[in-house]
Amino acid sequence: NLAAGRWGGIEFVGPVAPNQPSMLQHCIITEANNSGVRILDNDQVSLEACRIHNNTSALDGGGLRVELSAGTVRIAACDIENNRAARHGGGVRSTTTSSGRLILANCRIQ
């Protein structure tokens, strides 16, 4: 109910068993107040051809926040625009450690 305020965004939390992937394709994620998409230690997530815009975060990653300690998350052909964060990464904030990797392929971040 956007008339009552913003919603909490989409969160993918791991760890997740292998071969149980989540994928968002051709979606619009907008007006969230806790990052548009949060991917937290879940390498079974991919986004493709999505539009993530006009989201906010009181912390980091207004549009997309990824925290990953192992595995690879792939984001492809997404438009991430006009997002805001109070601290770091208005568009994208990625924190990877150990063997974690975030791949942004053919994305537009503005």
Side-chain angles (χ1 to χ4, degrees), residues 4-29:
R6 295 176 176 253
W7 61 294
I10 298 171
E11 182 174 76
F12 298 95
V13 179
V16 176
N19 301 317
Q20 293 187 1
S22 296
M23 175 181 264
L24 294 177
Q25 290 181 304
H26 305 284
C27 60
I28 297 172
I29 301 164

Side-chain angles (χ1 to χ4, degrees), residues 58-108:
L59 299 174
D60 304 318
L64 173 65
R65 187 172 84 205
V66 178
E67 297 176 11
L68 194 63
S69 59
T72 300
V73 169
R74 186 171 192 277
I75 312 295
C78 290
D79 287 334
I80 303 169
E81 60 187 351
N82 200 33
N83 299 286
R84 303 209 187 310
R87 293 192 322 187
H88 305 288
V92 176
R93 171 68 170 182
S94 173
T95 305
T96 59
T97 58
S98 187
S99 61
R101 284 189 339 158
L102 170 63
I103 296 174
L104 295 168
N106 298 314
C107 292
R108 186 173 63 93

Side-chain angles (χ1 to χ4, degrees), residues 41-65:
D41 273 326
N42 184 343
D43 67 346
Q44 298 289 309
V45 177
S46 62
L47 279 68
E48 184 177 313
C50 294
R51 184 168 183 231
I52 302 170
H53 69 105
N54 296 332
N55 300 288
T56 64
S57 174
L59 299 174
D60 304 318
L64 173 65
R65 187 172 84 205

